[in-house]
Amino acid sequence: MSTRTRMPPEPRLLTRAREGLIAAGVETEDAEPLFEFLESRLRTGRTGARWLLDTLVRLEADRPRHEALTAMFERYLAHSEEGMPVHTWPDV
């Protein structure tokens, strides 16, 4: 629901950061999953706060606020128990 335009992550900055970690002694196999996560999160622009707000707006479209808040929180708990990063959570 966000109207903000997502800008792709600056590849040179991510590359330099990755190279810096490896130069500092971080093993490539340890650094790569972190950068995959970071790149994906930057690409979607979704944070926990953004997910909460977007979900609440969608749910309030067809129910009173108190019901929308309850439904939003139930979804939040269910998704958080799955252990997946918030930027991968589905839209309502």
Side-chain angles (χ1 to χ4, degrees):
M1 190 108 205
S2 175
T3 58
R4 295 179 300 158
T5 302
R6 286 285 118 221
M7 304 227 8
E10 172 58 55
R12 290 176 295 163
L13 293 177
L14 292 173
T15 299
R16 289 182 67 196
R18 182 183 282 113
E19 291 168 353
L21 281 178
I22 293 169
V26 175
E27 297 293 329
T28 302
E29 60 269 9
D30 293 331
E32 277 311 308
L34 299 172
F35 277 94
E36 289 171 9
F37 172 85
L38 179 60
E39 288 169 339
S40 180
R41 177 117 182 219
L42 288 169
R43 201 171 17 264
T44 65
R46 179 174 278 175
T47 64
R50 183 80 267 149
W51 183 90
L52 289 170
L53 291 171
D54 290 347
T55 299
L56 185 58
V57 166
R58 287 186 181 101
L59 292 170
E60 284 185 313
D62 65 356
R63 65 192 86 191
R65 185 171 185 82
H66 70 279
E67 289 178 19
L69 284 165
T70 299
M72 181 269 303
F73 189 62
E74 288 169 349
R75 285 169 173 79
Y76 176 86
L77 288 176
H79 292 313
S80 65
E81 288 174 357
E82 293 170 358
M84 298 301 295
V86 71
H87 69 272
T88 66
W89 292 2
D91 293 331
V92 173

XYZ file of all heavy atoms in Angstrom:
745
model
N 0.814 -1.190 0.000
C 0.000 0.000 0.000
C 0.859 1.255 0.000
O 0.408 2.324 -0.259
C -0.903 -0.030 1.225
C -1.943 1.019 1.224
S -3.429 0.156 0.911
C -4.511 1.222 0.234
N 2.093 1.072 0.302
C 2.991 2.218 0.339
C 3.097 2.855 -1.043
O 3.204 2.177 -2.046
C 4.376 1.773 0.804
O 5.272 2.834 0.731
N 3.072 4.178 -1.053
C 3.179 4.887 -2.324
C 4.612 5.304 -2.605
O 4.880 5.902 -3.623
C 2.273 6.132 -2.326
O 2.650 6.971 -1.234
C 0.817 5.736 -2.201
N 5.516 5.012 -1.700
C 6.911 5.372 -1.902
C 7.510 4.504 -3.002
O 7.215 3.334 -3.113
C 7.701 5.171 -0.618
C 7.256 6.092 0.493
C 8.046 5.844 1.740
N 7.835 4.460 2.157
C 8.669 3.787 2.937
N 9.754 4.344 3.372
N 8.426 2.551 3.294
N 8.347 5.095 -3.799
C 9.043 4.360 -4.834
C 10.304 3.760 -4.248
O 11.066 4.433 -3.579
C 9.418 5.296 -6.000
O 8.230 5.885 -6.496
C 10.133 4.539 -7.098
N 10.484 2.486 -4.478
C 11.669 1.789 -3.982
C 12.814 2.014 -4.944
O 12.674 1.822 -6.142
C 11.417 0.285 -3.880
C 10.551 -0.092 -2.738
C 11.347 0.003 -1.438
N 10.727 0.989 -0.601
C 11.352 1.884 0.131
N 12.644 1.946 0.168
N 10.700 2.737 0.861
N 13.919 2.418 -4.402
C 15.120 2.578 -5.214
C 15.950 1.317 -5.027
O 16.088 0.834 -3.915
C 15.897 3.805 -4.760
C 15.052 5.041 -4.796
S 15.708 6.512 -5.539
C 17.201 6.163 -6.293
N 16.501 0.786 -6.106
C 17.337 -0.401 -5.948
C 18.574 -0.068 -5.139
O 19.053 1.065 -5.161
C 17.695 -0.779 -7.383
C 17.475 0.446 -8.181
C 16.439 1.272 -7.466
N 19.084 -1.055 -4.391
C 20.292 -0.783 -3.613
C 21.452 -0.436 -4.547
O 21.540 -0.966 -5.646
C 20.561 -2.091 -2.877
C 19.688 -3.108 -3.491
C 18.601 -2.400 -4.244
N 22.267 0.449 -4.112
C 23.443 0.856 -4.892
C 24.428 -0.312 -4.904
O 25.017 -0.639 -3.874
C 24.073 2.094 -4.266
C 25.384 2.510 -4.857
C 25.317 2.790 -6.336
O 24.478 3.615 -6.752
O 26.095 2.180 -7.085
N 24.591 -0.971 -6.034
C 25.430 -2.174 -6.078
C 26.875 -1.940 -5.650
O 27.477 -2.789 -5.007
C 25.375 -2.635 -7.535
C 24.402 -1.768 -8.229
C 24.009 -0.653 -7.313
N 27.418 -0.780 -5.997
C 28.816 -0.517 -5.625
C 28.998 -0.449 -4.116
O 29.997 -0.926 -3.581
C 29.309 0.771 -6.276
C 29.489 0.643 -7.785
C 29.877 1.954 -8.398
N 28.743 2.873 -8.205
C 28.780 4.182 -8.306
N 29.900 4.780 -8.600
N 27.712 4.919 -8.131
N 28.027 0.148 -3.423
C 28.139 0.244 -1.965
C 28.047 -1.130 -1.322
O 28.800 -1.445 -0.393
C 27.057 1.164 -1.408
C 27.184 2.629 -1.788
C 26.003 3.421 -1.224
C 28.490 3.208 -1.292
N 27.124 -1.945 -1.795
C 27.001 -3.291 -1.246
C 28.252 -4.118 -1.554
O 28.726 -4.870 -0.700
C 25.748 -3.976 -1.791
C 24.423 -3.377 -1.314
C 23.257 -4.019 -2.040
C 24.277 -3.515 0.185
N 28.781 -3.968 -2.746
C 29.998 -4.694 -3.113
C 31.163 -4.273 -2.222
O 31.917 -5.117 -1.720
C 30.338 -4.451 -4.595
O 29.256 -4.935 -5.385
C 31.622 -5.145 -4.995
N 31.294 -2.975 -2.008
C 32.386 -2.491 -1.151
C 32.228 -2.962 0.291
O 33.209 -3.329 0.945
C 32.463 -0.965 -1.204
C 32.991 -0.474 -2.563
C 33.128 1.013 -2.620
N 34.188 1.439 -1.701
C 34.346 2.681 -1.289
N 33.543 3.632 -1.718
N 35.324 3.003 -0.472
N 30.999 -2.967 0.770
C 30.751 -3.438 2.131
C 31.088 -4.930 2.243
O 31.717 -5.367 3.215
C 29.295 -3.188 2.523
N 30.677 -5.714 1.261
C 30.976 -7.149 1.235
C 32.497 -7.358 1.224
O 33.036 -8.153 2.000
C 30.340 -7.785 0.006
C 30.542 -9.278 -0.100
C 29.931 -9.835 -1.389
N 28.486 -9.956 -1.263
C 27.596 -9.226 -1.957
N 27.990 -8.327 -2.828
N 26.305 -9.415 -1.787
N 33.184 -6.638 0.357
C 34.640 -6.754 0.268
C 35.307 -6.337 1.582
O 36.295 -6.938 2.007
C 35.169 -5.912 -0.892
C 34.788 -6.453 -2.249
C 35.065 -5.480 -3.382
O 35.438 -4.306 -3.120
O 34.908 -5.894 -4.544
N 34.756 -5.312 2.222
C 35.313 -4.856 3.494
C 35.188 -5.907 4.585
O 36.120 -6.109 5.375
N 34.050 -6.582 4.636
C 33.882 -7.642 5.633
C 34.866 -8.777 5.392
O 35.503 -9.276 6.321
C 32.452 -8.195 5.602
C 31.391 -7.373 6.303
C 30.026 -8.037 6.138
C 31.709 -7.214 7.784
N 35.001 -9.167 4.151
C 35.912 -10.264 3.823
C 37.355 -9.854 4.117
O 38.131 -10.628 4.680
C 35.700 -10.713 2.368
C 34.295 -11.353 2.262
C 36.783 -11.677 1.918
C 33.812 -11.605 0.857
N 37.710 -8.607 3.792
C 39.052 -8.107 4.090
C 39.307 -8.063 5.598
O 40.444 -8.224 6.048
C 39.252 -6.722 3.486
N 38.238 -7.876 6.369
C 38.376 -7.823 7.823
C 38.431 -9.220 8.444
O 38.548 -9.351 9.657
C 37.221 -7.026 8.428
N 38.313 -10.239 7.592
C 38.453 -11.597 8.106
C 37.161 -12.385 8.222
O 37.169 -13.520 8.685
N 36.044 -11.798 7.817
C 34.776 -12.535 7.842
C 34.779 -13.511 6.676
O 35.103 -13.142 5.543
C 33.562 -11.568 7.742
C 32.263 -12.337 7.645
C 33.558 -10.611 8.921
N 34.456 -14.760 6.959
C 34.434 -15.788 5.912
C 33.325 -15.485 4.909
O 32.239 -15.033 5.284
C 34.214 -17.170 6.529
C 35.314 -17.612 7.464
C 36.628 -17.866 6.745
O 36.602 -18.278 5.569
O 37.680 -17.638 7.367
N 33.612 -15.744 3.638
C 32.639 -15.491 2.568
C 31.324 -16.209 2.845
O 30.250 -15.630 2.671
C 33.215 -15.936 1.208
O 34.423 -15.236 0.982
C 32.235 -15.661 0.080
N 31.394 -17.453 3.283
C 30.158 -18.212 3.539
C 29.348 -17.638 4.701
O 28.148 -17.868 4.793
C 30.433 -19.698 3.743
C 31.350 -20.035 4.893
C 32.819 -20.105 4.490
O 33.192 -19.732 3.373
O 33.614 -20.522 5.345
N 29.983 -16.861 5.565
C 29.254 -16.180 6.637
C 28.681 -14.852 6.149
O 27.597 -14.442 6.569
C 30.171 -15.924 7.839
C 30.600 -17.201 8.532
O 29.834 -18.197 8.489
O 31.699 -17.223 9.111
N 29.411 -14.166 5.283
C 28.992 -12.847 4.813
C 27.869 -12.923 3.781
O 26.959 -12.094 3.792
C 30.182 -12.094 4.231
N 27.915 -13.894 2.889
C 26.956 -13.947 1.783
C 25.497 -14.002 2.223
O 24.671 -13.256 1.686
C 27.266 -15.110 0.836
C 28.324 -14.777 -0.183
C 28.088 -13.460 -0.915
O 26.992 -13.237 -1.465
O 29.014 -12.640 -0.949
N 25.101 -14.843 3.184
C 23.688 -14.846 3.595
C 23.231 -13.494 4.145
O 22.095 -13.078 3.925
C 23.615 -15.923 4.674
C 24.805 -16.783 4.455
C 25.856 -15.900 3.852
N 24.123 -12.809 4.824
C 23.775 -11.488 5.358
C 23.532 -10.494 4.232
O 22.591 -9.691 4.281
C 24.880 -10.983 6.284
C 25.154 -11.835 7.518
C 26.397 -11.335 8.244
C 23.953 -11.852 8.439
N 24.355 -10.551 3.211
C 24.188 -9.622 2.093
C 22.983 -9.981 1.229
O 22.313 -9.104 0.702
C 25.471 -9.497 1.275
C 26.406 -8.522 1.901
C 27.390 -8.944 2.767
C 26.256 -7.163 1.683
C 28.233 -8.033 3.387
C 27.083 -6.246 2.291
C 28.074 -6.682 3.146
N 22.678 -11.257 1.105
C 21.468 -11.647 0.385
C 20.236 -11.107 1.112
O 19.310 -10.580 0.486
C 21.394 -13.165 0.249
C 22.412 -13.727 -0.709
C 22.495 -15.243 -0.678
O 21.639 -15.883 -0.029
O 23.431 -15.780 -1.295
N 20.235 -11.214 2.433
C 19.145 -10.677 3.246
C 19.051 -9.165 3.078
O 17.973 -8.615 2.824
C 19.377 -11.037 4.718
C 18.417 -10.385 5.657
C 17.189 -10.966 5.913
C 18.731 -9.192 6.290
C 16.292 -10.359 6.790
C 17.837 -8.588 7.156
C 16.618 -9.179 7.403
N 20.175 -8.490 3.194
C 20.204 -7.032 3.086
C 19.736 -6.566 1.716
O 18.916 -5.644 1.608
C 21.615 -6.520 3.369
C 21.835 -5.022 3.274
C 20.944 -4.287 4.255
C 23.294 -4.691 3.519
N 20.217 -7.181 0.665
C 19.819 -6.794 -0.687
C 18.322 -6.992 -0.894
O 17.648 -6.142 -1.474
C 20.616 -7.595 -1.720
C 22.057 -7.159 -1.792
C 22.935 -8.101 -2.609
O 22.566 -9.279 -2.807
O 23.992 -7.642 -3.057
N 17.784 -8.093 -0.397
C 16.357 -8.359 -0.538
C 15.529 -7.343 0.246
O 14.526 -6.827 -0.242
C 16.058 -9.781 -0.067
O 14.702 -10.077 -0.195
N 15.962 -7.043 1.443
C 15.239 -6.068 2.269
C 15.280 -4.682 1.640
O 14.276 -3.965 1.605
C 15.849 -6.039 3.666
C 15.227 -5.022 4.580
C 14.566 -5.661 5.733
N 13.933 -4.680 6.572
C 13.915 -4.736 7.880
N 14.511 -5.721 8.504
N 13.308 -3.828 8.577
N 16.425 -4.287 1.113
C 16.534 -2.991 0.454
C 15.669 -2.930 -0.801
O 15.053 -1.916 -1.102
C 17.995 -2.699 0.094
C 18.915 -2.372 1.259
C 20.359 -2.369 0.809
C 18.529 -1.051 1.899
N 15.607 -4.034 -1.521
C 14.823 -4.074 -2.749
C 13.326 -3.911 -2.463
O 12.630 -3.219 -3.169
C 15.095 -5.398 -3.475
C 14.785 -5.399 -4.918
C 15.250 -6.626 -5.687
N 15.590 -7.823 -4.935
C 16.842 -8.163 -4.559
N 17.856 -7.391 -4.857
N 17.062 -9.276 -3.891
N 12.827 -4.547 -1.405
C 11.390 -4.460 -1.091
C 11.050 -3.194 -0.316
O 9.929 -2.706 -0.417
C 10.924 -5.669 -0.258
O 11.565 -5.639 1.022
C 11.190 -6.974 -0.967
N 11.987 -2.692 0.484
C 11.713 -1.521 1.304
C 10.762 -1.809 2.454
O 10.272 -0.896 3.102
N 10.517 -3.065 2.723
C 9.551 -3.413 3.770
C 10.246 -3.609 5.105
O 11.131 -4.425 5.250
C 8.800 -4.687 3.406
C 7.808 -5.070 4.516
C 6.958 -6.208 4.140
N 5.852 -5.696 3.333
C 4.971 -6.477 2.766
N 5.053 -7.774 2.875
N 3.984 -5.961 2.065
N 9.793 -2.832 6.071
C 10.217 -2.978 7.465
C 9.017 -3.483 8.256
O 7.896 -3.538 7.734
C 10.658 -1.629 8.048
O 9.519 -0.749 8.058
C 11.792 -1.013 7.249
N 9.236 -3.812 9.493
C 8.124 -4.231 10.338
C 7.064 -3.145 10.466
O 5.867 -3.400 10.367
N 7.507 -1.916 10.645
C 6.566 -0.798 10.764
C 5.766 -0.611 9.476
O 4.561 -0.365 9.510
C 7.310 0.484 11.114
N 6.442 -0.723 8.328
C 5.742 -0.569 7.043
C 4.709 -1.673 6.859
O 3.599 -1.430 6.409
C 6.774 -0.608 5.899
C 6.202 -0.395 4.530
C 5.965 1.085 4.227
N 4.622 1.494 4.570
C 4.266 2.705 4.989
N 5.142 3.660 5.134
N 3.026 2.999 5.268
N 5.054 -2.918 7.213
C 4.110 -4.031 7.102
C 2.894 -3.776 7.997
O 1.756 -3.962 7.570
C 4.775 -5.365 7.466
C 3.844 -6.520 7.279
C 3.683 -7.263 6.147
C 2.917 -7.055 8.229
N 2.721 -8.229 6.336
C 2.232 -8.117 7.615
C 2.601 -6.738 9.549
C 1.256 -8.862 8.272
C 1.623 -7.482 10.206
C 0.955 -8.525 9.569
N 3.143 -3.352 9.245
C 2.038 -3.085 10.173
C 1.094 -2.016 9.625
O -0.129 -2.201 9.612
C 2.569 -2.645 11.540
C 3.255 -3.707 12.380
C 3.940 -3.069 13.581
C 2.273 -4.761 12.833
N 1.650 -0.909 9.185
C 0.812 0.185 8.679
C 0.043 -0.208 7.424
O -1.158 0.055 7.305
C 1.663 1.423 8.416
C 2.231 2.100 9.661
C 3.226 3.173 9.260
C 1.121 2.668 10.520
N 0.725 -0.842 6.470
C 0.057 -1.247 5.228
C -1.045 -2.261 5.505
O -2.137 -2.192 4.933
C 1.062 -1.845 4.234
C 2.021 -0.806 3.669
O 1.773 0.405 3.850
O 3.008 -1.223 3.047
N -0.766 -3.203 6.392
C -1.765 -4.226 6.734
C -2.967 -3.590 7.421
O -4.123 -3.911 7.095
C -1.125 -5.303 7.630
O -0.063 -5.920 6.901
C -2.134 -6.354 8.050
N -2.715 -2.690 8.341
C -3.814 -2.034 9.047
C -4.698 -1.249 8.085
O -5.929 -1.329 8.148
C -3.278 -1.124 10.156
C -4.317 -0.462 11.045
C -5.194 -1.505 11.736
C -3.632 0.427 12.068
N -4.109 -0.520 7.172
C -4.893 0.253 6.200
C -5.784 -0.692 5.372
O -6.962 -0.421 5.163
C -3.969 1.082 5.283
C -4.708 1.615 4.077
C -3.349 2.220 6.070
N -5.211 -1.795 4.914
C -5.994 -2.746 4.109
C -7.140 -3.351 4.914
O -8.251 -3.487 4.409
C -5.092 -3.852 3.579
C -4.183 -3.396 2.471
C -3.402 -4.569 1.882
N -2.523 -4.125 0.841
C -1.221 -3.936 0.988
N -0.646 -4.173 2.135
N -0.493 -3.519 -0.021
N -6.853 -3.714 6.163
C -7.889 -4.340 6.987
C -8.977 -3.352 7.390
O -10.144 -3.730 7.509
C -7.255 -4.977 8.225
C -6.363 -6.192 7.952
C -5.596 -6.586 9.206
C -7.189 -7.362 7.433
N -8.617 -2.088 7.590
C -9.619 -1.086 7.960
C -10.562 -0.746 6.813
O -11.596 -0.129 7.030
C -8.933 0.200 8.443
C -8.374 0.089 9.840
C -7.804 1.402 10.325
O -7.038 2.053 9.577
O -8.135 1.774 11.461
N -10.233 -1.177 5.619
C -11.098 -0.888 4.475
C -12.447 -1.584 4.586
O -13.427 -1.115 4.018
C -10.403 -1.295 3.172
N -12.505 -2.683 5.327
C -13.772 -3.419 5.389
C -14.194 -3.822 6.796
O -15.031 -4.703 6.971
C -13.706 -4.659 4.485
C -12.683 -5.684 4.950
O -11.966 -5.416 5.938
O -12.605 -6.748 4.321
N -13.620 -3.167 7.812
C -14.018 -3.480 9.196
C -13.653 -2.324 10.112
O -12.810 -1.501 9.762
C -13.367 -4.786 9.664
C -11.862 -4.708 9.747
C -11.219 -6.053 9.921
N -11.052 -6.620 8.589
C -10.721 -7.852 8.325
N -10.493 -8.685 9.300
N -10.593 -8.283 7.103
N -14.274 -2.268 11.280
C -13.952 -1.199 12.240
C -12.492 -1.302 12.708
O -11.882 -2.365 12.668
C -14.899 -1.448 13.412
C -15.938 -2.377 12.905
C -15.344 -3.130 11.758
N -11.972 -0.188 13.161
C -10.565 -0.120 13.559
C -10.195 -1.165 14.608
O -9.153 -1.827 14.493
C -10.213 1.277 14.064
C -8.718 1.420 14.372
C -8.365 2.882 14.669
N -6.963 3.071 14.854
C -6.054 3.216 13.895
N -6.416 3.168 12.642
N -4.787 3.407 14.175
N -11.019 -1.348 15.625
C -10.649 -2.303 16.679
C -10.564 -3.732 16.127
O -9.704 -4.507 16.525
C -11.603 -2.216 17.881
C -12.981 -2.714 17.622
N -13.930 -1.948 16.983
C -13.560 -3.904 17.896
C -15.051 -2.642 16.878
N -14.849 -3.835 17.419
N -11.415 -4.076 15.179
C -11.344 -5.400 14.549
C -10.125 -5.491 13.632
O -9.474 -6.536 13.552
C -12.613 -5.690 13.751
C -13.830 -5.932 14.618
C -15.082 -6.173 13.786
O -14.973 -6.510 12.583
O -16.183 -6.030 14.353
N -9.822 -4.412 12.942
C -8.653 -4.391 12.065
C -7.367 -4.544 12.881
O -6.456 -5.275 12.481
C -8.630 -3.103 11.250
N -7.296 -3.871 14.013
C -6.120 -3.988 14.872
C -5.943 -5.415 15.386
O -4.835 -5.955 15.400
C -6.214 -3.014 16.046
C -5.936 -1.556 15.713
C -6.408 -0.643 16.850
C -4.458 -1.343 15.432
N -7.046 -6.026 15.786
C -6.985 -7.416 16.262
C -6.521 -8.344 15.152
O -5.633 -9.185 15.348
C -8.368 -7.859 16.794
O -8.734 -7.017 17.891
C -8.344 -9.305 17.254
N -7.094 -8.191 13.959
C -6.717 -9.038 12.823
C -5.261 -8.816 12.433
O -4.533 -9.771 12.119
C -7.646 -8.766 11.641
N -4.821 -7.567 12.449
C -3.442 -7.255 12.104
C -2.493 -7.919 13.105
O -1.508 -8.543 12.721
C -3.222 -5.739 12.085
C -1.821 -5.291 11.709
S -0.694 -5.079 13.106
C -1.558 -3.911 14.107
N -2.805 -7.812 14.383
C -1.941 -8.386 15.403
C -1.914 -9.912 15.309
O -0.862 -10.534 15.480
C -2.391 -7.932 16.800
C -1.428 -8.307 17.881
C -0.133 -7.814 17.875
C -1.811 -9.163 18.897
C 0.764 -8.164 18.869
C -0.917 -9.518 19.896
C 0.370 -9.020 19.884
N -3.043 -10.529 15.013
C -3.081 -11.985 14.839
C -2.173 -12.412 13.681
O -1.435 -13.395 13.778
C -4.506 -12.466 14.597
C -5.375 -12.396 15.833
C -6.855 -12.624 15.557
O -7.265 -12.641 14.367
O -7.600 -12.803 16.537
N -2.226 -11.675 12.586
C -1.358 -11.979 11.442
C 0.116 -11.763 11.796
O 0.974 -12.552 11.426
C -1.750 -11.119 10.237
C -3.022 -11.571 9.567
C -3.505 -10.532 8.559
N -4.634 -10.978 7.778
C -5.892 -10.993 8.188
N -6.192 -10.595 9.408
N -6.865 -11.417 7.384
N 0.373 -10.684 12.524
C 1.741 -10.391 12.953
C 2.305 -11.551 13.779
O 3.425 -12.017 13.541
C 1.763 -9.090 13.761
C 3.118 -8.767 14.330
C 4.052 -8.081 13.580
C 3.465 -9.164 15.614
C 5.312 -7.784 14.089
C 4.715 -8.890 16.135
C 5.631 -8.200 15.375
O 6.873 -7.924 15.879
N 1.525 -12.016 14.754
C 1.990 -13.116 15.602
C 2.227 -14.385 14.783
O 3.239 -15.065 14.955
C 0.979 -13.393 16.718
C 0.906 -12.348 17.826
C -0.203 -12.705 18.805
C 2.237 -12.242 18.549
N 1.297 -14.703 13.895
C 1.438 -15.909 13.077
C 2.692 -15.838 12.210
O 3.469 -16.802 12.142
C 0.197 -16.099 12.209
N 2.906 -14.718 11.548
C 4.086 -14.584 10.686
C 5.377 -14.585 11.497
O 6.371 -15.201 11.090
C 4.011 -13.309 9.847
C 2.931 -13.324 8.817
N 2.708 -14.384 7.970
C 1.999 -12.401 8.496
C 1.698 -14.112 7.173
N 1.248 -12.917 7.473
N 5.374 -13.915 12.632
C 6.600 -13.843 13.427
C 6.972 -15.215 13.984
O 8.159 -15.530 14.108
C 6.475 -12.813 14.547
O 5.498 -13.204 15.485
N 5.995 -16.056 14.274
C 6.286 -17.402 14.778
C 6.889 -18.296 13.694
O 7.561 -19.274 14.002
C 5.023 -18.030 15.358
C 4.620 -17.386 16.671
C 3.290 -17.876 17.213
O 2.625 -18.697 16.534
O 2.922 -17.445 18.305
N 6.670 -17.951 12.419
C 7.254 -18.723 11.324
C 8.757 -18.469 11.207
O 9.476 -19.248 10.583
C 6.572 -18.372 10.001
C 5.130 -18.809 9.936
C 4.396 -18.246 8.730
O 5.008 -17.470 7.955
O 3.217 -18.586 8.563
N 9.215 -17.352 11.762
C 10.638 -17.051 11.758
C 11.178 -16.489 10.455
O 12.385 -16.398 10.275
N 10.308 -16.102 9.544
C 10.744 -15.532 8.276
C 10.923 -14.021 8.438
O 10.199 -13.383 9.205
C 9.724 -15.818 7.173
C 9.530 -17.306 6.902
S 11.046 -18.152 6.423
C 11.380 -17.348 4.877
N 11.845 -13.422 7.693
C 12.030 -11.963 7.774
C 10.779 -11.226 7.303
O 10.077 -11.686 6.409
C 13.203 -11.683 6.840
C 13.718 -12.981 6.376
C 12.767 -14.049 6.766
N 10.517 -10.091 7.894
C 9.291 -9.343 7.619
C 9.173 -8.926 6.148
O 8.074 -8.841 5.625
C 9.159 -8.131 8.569
C 10.165 -7.068 8.226
C 7.750 -7.559 8.538
N 10.275 -8.714 5.491
C 10.176 -8.287 4.087
C 9.656 -9.410 3.189
O 9.311 -9.160 2.033
C 11.501 -7.710 3.570
C 12.591 -8.712 3.418
N 13.441 -9.023 4.460
C 12.977 -9.452 2.369
C 14.309 -9.928 4.037
N 14.042 -10.203 2.769
N 9.552 -10.628 3.703
C 9.010 -11.745 2.920
C 7.552 -12.053 3.267
O 6.936 -12.904 2.635
C 9.835 -13.027 3.123
O 9.704 -13.466 4.490
C 11.298 -12.795 2.777
N 7.002 -11.364 4.266
C 5.631 -11.636 4.678
C 4.658 -11.226 3.579
O 4.860 -10.217 2.899
C 5.285 -10.876 5.952
C 6.026 -11.347 7.171
C 6.977 -12.329 7.250
C 5.889 -10.820 8.485
N 7.438 -12.434 8.536
C 6.786 -11.531 9.317
C 5.108 -9.825 9.039
C 6.900 -11.278 10.678
C 5.230 -9.574 10.396
C 6.104 -10.287 11.209
N 3.568 -11.986 3.445
C 2.593 -11.646 2.401
C 1.772 -10.409 2.741
O 1.604 -10.066 3.916
C 1.698 -12.882 2.336
C 1.802 -13.491 3.694
C 3.197 -13.182 4.183
N 1.265 -9.774 1.704
C 0.320 -8.688 1.897
C -1.029 -9.300 2.282
O -1.290 -10.466 2.019
C 0.144 -7.875 0.602
C 1.411 -7.123 0.240
O 2.182 -6.763 1.152
O 1.636 -6.910 -0.959
N -1.864 -8.484 2.864
C -3.209 -8.942 3.223
C -4.042 -9.045 1.968
O -3.975 -8.240 1.096
C -3.859 -7.958 4.223
C -5.300 -8.332 4.476
C -3.077 -7.959 5.506
